[in-house]
């Protein structure tokens, strides 16, 4: 008979999923039931615990390297990836420039390469369009950011919009 498991089994189950990239439903029997582990993770995520831990780790790494704990310069880029057959058609798009039917990752990192924000959209969403939402959310959560490095995909109206609103 399986039990809900003490806290250590739940945390170890989450670490196993993160380390191996496995699906929740195939969590080995050595851990608490997958429903329990997933439920605990989801409650922590909704409460902001995951974001808090990520931010604290980033601060510790930055100060350990002699940097300011809060980055002021970011790097942003996007990458189109093919959608698996399990990815619903409503969340996919076609990136004509890369000839890819799938999704697009919009990744923002600090100058050490540590993640600040990651957003996933359909592949047909232009980088500069997704960046408005990303930059707005970053401004609310990280107001010290004053500079963003990006390639030409982020040029045009986005620069004026950011200067005027952020």
């Amino acid at each position: 008979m399986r039990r809900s498991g003490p806290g250590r089994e739940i945390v170890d189950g989450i670490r196993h999923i993160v380390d191996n990239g496995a699906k929740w439903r195939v969590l080995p029997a050595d851990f608490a039931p997958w429903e329990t582990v997933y439920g605990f993770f989801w409650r922590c995520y909704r409460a902001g615990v995951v974001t808090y831990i990520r931010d604290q780790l980033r601060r510790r790494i930055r100060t350990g390297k002699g940097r300011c704990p809060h980055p002021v310069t970011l790097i942003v880029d996007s990458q189109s990836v093919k959608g698996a057959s399990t990815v619903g058609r409503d969340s996919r798009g076609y990136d004509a420039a890369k000839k890819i039917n799938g999704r697009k990752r919009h990744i923002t990192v600090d100058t050490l390469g540590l993640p600040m924000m990651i957003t996933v959209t359909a592949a047909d969403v232009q980088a500069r369009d997704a960046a408005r939402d990303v930059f707005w959310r970053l401004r609310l959560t990280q107001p010290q950011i004053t500079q963003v490095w990006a390639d030409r995909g982020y040029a045009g109206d986005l620069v004026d919009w950011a200067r005027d609103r952020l």
Side-chain angles (χ1 to χ4, degrees), residues 2 13 16-17 20 22-34:
R2 296 175 82 171
H16 176 80
I17 294 292
N20 295 297
K23 296 176 182 163
W24 289 105
R25 292 180 187 260
V26 296
L27 187 66
D30 300 345
F31 303 104
W34 77 266

Side-chain angles (χ1 to χ4, degrees), residues 54-75 108-116 142 144-147 149:
R54 182 202 62 211
D55 291 347
Q56 292 303 316
L57 287 171
R58 184 178 52 249
R59 287 184 193 121
R60 182 173 287 187
I61 291 168
R62 289 183 61 83
T63 55
K65 293 189 176 283
R67 301 283 187 99
C68 174
H70 302 285
V72 295
T73 301
L74 299 182
I75 304 162
T108 309
V109 298
D110 69 1
T111 54
L112 295 176
L114 302 171
M116 295 294 292
Q142 306 284 334
Q144 77 282 356
I145 296 169
T146 57
Q147 184 177 25
W149 293 337

